[in-house]
């Protein structure tokens, strides 16, 4: 909704400019001639790496898209190509790994699930981590922040789980999972769909088993949008917006620094231990991922903002919005 696909994901001999030109032609040949009342159902949603700023609507019409979608405006071909190819974040690494897997062949999905669906005792779980496995905690952000195993990356199963796992985690690093009970097979299936098949197992008994062994937990502190507004008025907290560039350009809190989630780890060195940070996204899902990454890198001088940009704006924070 409000966007079109990226022209830079083929990974072949055609340039993104050449593919954008083909997109221009096909939109005008096949889409614009359709009647305004033709229904449109999107295959991608907000936050997807397959577009720059995809809308959240689950359906639309050709007529509405003609009115609101920049790609369907009456603009010259070269201008369209420039618009479509500018401001693109680096494509997630798993896109090209998946292409190679699809080309070379892969195991049946039931075999992958059978190989990876291994319950691990606390001791076995710890051993896997010591040997280099990454802990992937797939619980909801609101549950994760109250207590998690240090070093975990939180990517909630209820969100765009596979996309963010594929974007942020090294496909060659084995994973150990911490899941809600009964969700283990679903986690493994969704990881496999983006090429992540190196799962060493899951913590049997979940976090309760860890706690029962008397082992420590880490936490993340979150603030309400109202508290966020008070803090930015009365103190010197640095606001970090981890949304995509297109989202930021549309509307952002005055003075906020943009560090898209895809670029957060590359910018870890820019966080000043002498400052305090407030981390937010659009709705809270990505900011908790970001918070877990910061914690993994030993950064603790931050607070997560509940509800994200939608609630921040409702609370009356000063924002800058694009006129278009």
């Amino acid at each position: 909704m409000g966007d079109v696909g990226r022209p830079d994901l083929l990974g072949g001999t055609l340039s993104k400019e050449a593919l954008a030109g083909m997109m221009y032609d096909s939109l005008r040949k096949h889409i614009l001639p359709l009647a305004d009342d033709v229904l449109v159902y999107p295959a991608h949603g907000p936050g997807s790496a397959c577009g720059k700023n995809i809308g959240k609507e689950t359906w639309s019409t050709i007529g509405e898209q003609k009115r609101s979608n920049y790609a369907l405006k009456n603009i010259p071909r070269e201008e369209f190509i420039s618009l479509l190819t500018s401001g693109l974040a680096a494509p997630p690494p798993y896109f090209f790994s998946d292409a190679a897997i699809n080309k070379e062949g892969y195991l049946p999905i039931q075999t992958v699930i059978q190989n990876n669906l291994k319950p691990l005792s606390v001791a076995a779980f710890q051993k896997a981590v010591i040997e280099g496995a990454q802990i992937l905690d797939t619980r909801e952000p609101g549950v994760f922040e109250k207590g998690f195993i240090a070093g975990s990356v939180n990517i909630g199963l209820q969100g765009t789980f596979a996309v963010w796992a594929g974007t942020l985690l090294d496909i060659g690093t084995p994973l150990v999972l911490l899941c809600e009970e009964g969700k283990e097979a679903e986690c493994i299936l969704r990881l496999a769909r983006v090429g992540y098949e190196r799962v060493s197992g899951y913590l049997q008994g979940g976090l309760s088993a860890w706690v029962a062994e008397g082992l420590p937990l880490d936490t993340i502190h979150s603030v309400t949008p109202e508290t966020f507004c008070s803090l930015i008025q009365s103190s010197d907290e640095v606001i970090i917006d981890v949304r995509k560039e297109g989202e930021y350009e549309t509307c952002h809190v005055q003075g906020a620094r943009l560090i898209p989630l895809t670029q957060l780890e590359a910018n870890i060195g820019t966080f000043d231990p002498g400052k305090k940070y407030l981390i937010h996204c659009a709705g809270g899902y990505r900011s908790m991922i970001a918070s877990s990454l910061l914690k993994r890198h030993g950064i603790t001088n931050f607070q997560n903002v509940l509800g994200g940009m939608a609630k921040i704006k409702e609370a009356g924070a000063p924002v800058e919005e694009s006129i278009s």
Side-chain angles (χ1 to χ4, degrees):
M1 300 290 95
D3 207 343
V4 289
R6 292 174 59 154
D8 62 331
L9 303 179
L10 181 62
T13 56
L14 291 174
S15 69
K16 62 182 179 182
E17 289 78 14
L19 289 164
M22 294 168 69
M23 173 79 80
Y24 180 87
D25 296 337
S26 63
L27 287 171
R28 278 144 188 82
K29 181 179 180 181
H30 299 292
I31 301 299
L32 283 172
L34 295 173
D36 285 356
D37 61 353
V38 171
L39 293 172
V40 179
Y41 293 98
H44 297 80
S48 168
C50 291
K52 290 197 286 188
N53 192 17
I54 300 173
K56 65 181 180 181
E57 296 81 12
T58 57
W59 69 277
S60 183
T61 63
I62 289 294
E64 176 56 34
Q65 289 304 300
K66 287 177 183 177
R67 288 187 289 272
S68 63
N69 193 322
Y70 75 94
L72 301 181
K73 300 298 183 185
N74 184 23
I75 58 176
R77 195 170 191 271
E78 292 306 314
E79 182 180 343
F80 174 90
I81 291 171
S82 177
L83 279 172
L84 197 61
T85 57
S86 63
L88 290 169
Y94 77 91
F95 276 38
F96 303 109
S97 298
D98 281 1
I101 292 170
N102 287 339
K103 184 177 181 180
E104 296 166 7
Y106 43 84
L107 292 172
I109 192 63
Q110 289 303 325
T111 302
V112 173
I113 294 174
Q114 182 178 348
N115 290 345
N116 294 349
L117 193 60
K118 299 174 183 175
L120 300 175
S121 66
V122 171
F125 186 89
Q126 289 177 304
K127 183 174 183 290
V129 173
I130 291 170
E131 292 175 349
Q134 169 63 54
I135 305 171
L136 176 57
D137 191 321
T138 68
R139 296 174 299 153
E140 294 185 11
V143 176
F144 173 82
E145 69 173 354
K146 294 178 174 63
F148 58 91
I149 300 169
S152 300
V153 175
N154 173 236
I155 305 178
L157 190 63
Q158 87 287 3
T160 48
F161 169 72
V163 170
W164 283 114
T167 301
L168 298 173
L169 302 176
D170 179 4
I171 198 168
T173 299
L175 301 172
V176 285
L177 306 178
L178 197 152
C179 311
E180 292 182 15
E181 187 176 357
K183 296 291 185 179
E184 299 86 2
E186 181 183 348
C187 291
I188 290 166
L189 172 62
R190 290 172 66 179
L191 286 167
R193 285 174 177 160
V194 289
Y196 283 65
E197 299 180 358
R198 296 190 63 188
V199 177
S200 300
Y202 63 92
L203 181 58
Q204 188 171 27
L207 198 67
S208 297
W210 185 269
V211 172
E213 295 287 337
L215 295 167
L217 296 177
D218 201 352
T219 59
I220 286 169
H221 186 257
S222 294
V223 296
T224 65
E226 291 75 19
T227 300
F228 169 85
C229 291
S230 298
L231 288 170
I232 63 175
Q233 291 174 2
S234 61
S235 60
D236 58 354
E237 264 89 348
V238 179
I239 305 165
I240 302 294
D241 186 333
V242 299
R243 296 175 301 158
K244 296 165 68 175
E245 184 178 353
E247 295 173 282
Y248 179 88
E249 290 174 351
T250 300
C251 180
H252 63 267
V253 179
Q254 289 179 6
R257 177 187 173 194
L258 174 67
I259 308 180
L261 180 55
T262 54
Q263 301 172 27
L264 184 69
E265 289 194 283
N267 283 276
I268 288 294
T270 67
F271 282 78
D272 185 342
K275 294 182 178 179
K276 297 178 180 179
Y277 295 89
L278 293 165
I279 315 295
H280 83 82
C281 64
Y285 181 80
R286 285 174 283 175
S287 66
M288 189 57 69
I289 298 174
S291 297
S292 69
L293 291 172
L294 290 174
K295 279 278 190 169
R296 186 174 71 162
H297 286 278
I299 295 172
T300 60
N301 53 323
F302 72 90
Q303 296 181 97
N304 173 61
V305 184
L306 298 169
M309 189 67 198
K311 296 298 182 182
I312 287 170
K313 191 175 177 182
E314 286 181 12
V319 299
E320 296 180 10
E321 299 184 73
S322 63
I323 299 173
S324 57

